[in-house]
Amino acid sequence: MTINVLFSALPGRWEQYQEPLSAAFIHAGLRVSLRTDHAPETVDYVVYAPNGGLSDFTPFTQLKAVHCLWAGVETIVGNPTLRVPLARMVDAEGLTQGMVEWVTGHVLRHHIGMDAHILNPDHVWQPENPPLAPERPITILGLGALGTACGQALTGLGFNVTGWSRSPRNVQGIRCLHGSDELQQALTKAEIIVTLLPDTPETTNIVNAKRLALLAKGAVVINPGRGPLIDDAALIAALNTGHISHATLDVFRTEPLPKDHPYWVHPRVTVTPHIAAETRPSSAAKIVAENLRRAEAQEQLLHLVDRRAGY
Ligand code: NAP
């Protein structure tokens, strides 16, 4: 029997995904009709990007599951018209690899003080050596697919890494803390923090003035998670006093970041345009196909979103 899969994403994405998805479905032994224009009442699965324009799932009367192409699901998780399982993108080969590279690069930039030598217009001879990685405490807020992989890469380089999550985790080489009671401990004296939490009501403004004050003087904030994790006014105030020496931000409350936003002109803020980790069609297609195979075989789906937890 042929399975009808609707692809719903920004128009340019279809050209990128059609071939890898079709190949992955064949490889998974599935007979699929993959289109962008199936009639809703005939659709079995939706391969979905939250910015693709689809928000009302009511007409999808025979829908079995939705597979989100993004890791962050804050804009779909509370959709009351969606009454079938929702899976999100976890892809070690593409998305996670990209995030590990972005986080490691930006951590190393601040750790070894690259800017002092790259941006040295007065040609000052500055022979100070930075501390070595084991002397640099780094805290990662969020020890999920991405936070864990970044933490492991950083411990691999010798950094002293603490991770913090909602439930207890055990990751070799990482000091694992969890829950609101241990957040203060996780942040105290950290010299670099990396925020890889999902955007939920519990995580909104989690990096606020009180918590920034716990970090070591001159600490660096790196946010590739989601914009609302940061209390922007508190961060700018802490940058202005020098308590925070730099913020490298990939995600924002409003994207693209408005032209007149103070982050663009702040001398100690680096803005990157939500590029930390992109879903890569060739590897993501294999994840989607495996999940559809599982659904058709009545097996447990991978990377299911917990709709109540919000991520
Ligand atoms: P994940 O596997 O769901 O991990 C989320 C982590 O956050 C888990 O460790 C979870 O705790 C923790 N967490 C959630 N709510 C919490 C709370 N209230 N208190 C403490 N910890 C909490 O997600 P992921 O795949 O690693 O992705 C993380 C986020 O990265 C995504 O949600 C997305 O927003 C962002 N992202 C950004 C980009 C980019 O290009 N900038 C790309 C991809 C993803 P438990 O372990 O206890 O569940």
Side-chain angles (χ1 to χ4, degrees), residues 9-255:
L10 284 176
R13 297 292 184 200
W14 174 240
E15 286 69 40
Q16 297 169 348
Y17 277 91
Q18 185 185 11
E19 204 182 295
L21 276 173
S22 302
F25 290 143
I26 290 169
H27 189 75
L30 300 169
R31 220 166 74 193
V32 169
S33 165
L34 175 67
R35 303 170 60 113
T36 56
D37 59 355
H38 279 303
E41 66 279 8
T42 67
V43 171
D44 296 298
Y45 300 95
V46 179
V47 176
Y48 177 85
N51 58 357
L54 172 58
S55 59
D56 183 6
F57 291 90
T58 316
F60 291 78
T61 47
Q62 68 168 42
L63 191 62
K64 298 177 191 165
V66 170
H67 205 304
C68 186
L69 290 170
W70 296 8
V73 289
E74 65 275 7
T75 56
I76 183 181
V77 74
N79 186 327
T81 68
L82 181 63
R83 298 197 184 82
V84 294
L86 170 67
R88 68 186 191 97
M89 188 50 63
V90 175
D91 174 18
E93 216 182 306
L95 196 67
T96 306
Q97 177 66 25
M99 186 61 83
V100 166
E101 293 178 14
W102 187 92
V103 166
T104 309
H106 286 283
V107 163
L108 285 174
R109 168 192 173 192
H110 296 297
H111 169 60
I112 63 173
M114 285 188 206
D115 290 12
H117 307 289
I118 296 170
L119 312 169
N120 186 9
D122 298 328
H123 303 162
V124 182
W125 189 258
Q126 308 169 81
E128 306 91 42
N129 282 320
L132 291 173
E135 299 158 311
R136 182 79 74 189
I138 298 181
T139 291
I140 302 180
L141 299 184
L143 262 191
L146 300 176
T148 298
C150 292
Q152 286 172 324
L154 293 170
T155 56
L157 289 170
F159 284 103
N160 168 359
V161 178
T162 295
W164 180 76
S165 52
R166 197 163 64 107
S167 51
R169 298 267 152 190
N170 187 2
V171 185
Q172 201 186 355
I174 298 180
R175 179 176 70 136
C176 295
L177 300 174
H178 72 278
S180 45
D181 291 350
E182 293 184 347
L183 180 55
Q184 176 171 344
Q185 196 185 340
L187 293 173
T188 299
K189 300 271 181 261
E191 293 182 12
I192 298 178
I193 65 164
V194 179
T195 44
L196 276 168
L197 294 161
D199 175 10
T200 70
E202 287 74 39
T203 64
T204 302
N205 287 331
I206 197 159
V207 179
N208 58 21
K210 193 181 87 188
R211 297 190 177 120
L212 287 167
L214 297 170
L215 306 179
K217 180 157 176 43
V220 168
V221 173
I222 298 180
N223 181 23
R226 282 291 184 264
L229 302 178
I230 308 271
D231 176 337
D232 295 316
L235 177 59
I236 289 173
L239 285 159
N240 289 341
T241 65
H243 181 67
I244 300 301
S245 65
H246 201 99
T248 295
L249 309 171
D250 185 57
V251 283
F252 305 91
R253 279 186 160 75
T254 305
E255 294 181 9

